[in-house]
Amino acid sequence: MPLQPPGRPRLRLAPLLALLLLAGPARPISFQLPGKARKCLREEIHRDTLVTGEYEIGAPPGSSSGPSANLKITDSAGHILYAKEDATKGKFAFTTEDYDMFEACFESKLPVGTGRMPDQLVILDMKHGVEAKNYEEIAKVEKLKPLEVELRRLEDLSESIVNDFAYMKKREEEMRDTNESTNTRVLYFSIFSMCCLIGLATWQVFYLRRFFKAKKLIE
């Protein structure tokens, strides 16, 4: 067994390899957009998160007209974060203010004086968080070495994973509190229902007893 020099920490490669696998580049999404159709993509994103994206809309082969579609990105409140009419190719970027559901919608436009528009090919590459950061620019500005850049990327990735787990723990606590509150309300409602049933049964017994006495069926 090879000896390790004293005072030098041993590198744990397994966590680093796991982080590298998780940090793999995301693949763009592609789909067909029929004429006069509207397709939307939704994603939940944390607050204070940088979101970047690139899109390209291509006309189908053999089409006499170019691509024609509108792009609009909104949050759950309907606030427009990015909008582009007659979009063909471009980029967008914004920073979220709160945890929310964000929606990117592509709406096909039918050119005037033409028949049914063939399906258009839409390619969307949307990134957020660590994936959205341009580490090449960060390396140029801060004059970092390649290894330092990779360590910075792993640090940001690990921080993002920790924040995700913290958010999941918070949601779990909120769900547990909601379940406990619901169970307490159900318990109180059950006790109230039982009291009502016992009271109704008692009243019914006395009422029937008075009725039978009035009819002289019982003494």
Side-chain angles (χ1 to χ4, degrees), residues 44-59:
E44 294 182 354
I45 303 177
H46 294 281
R47 62 177 303 177
D48 298 329
T49 301
L50 174 64
V51 180
T52 62
E54 298 182 19
Y55 62 89
E56 183 176 0
I57 304 174

Side-chain angles (χ1 to χ4, degrees), residues 116-135:
R116 178 185 179 278
M117 172 185 280
D119 295 352
Q120 302 177 96
L121 177 62
V122 178
I123 301 176
L124 176 63
D125 187 7
M126 193 169 177
K127 302 177 181 178
H128 58 83
V130 179
E131 297 177 349
K133 291 185 178 181
N134 190 342
Y135 288 94

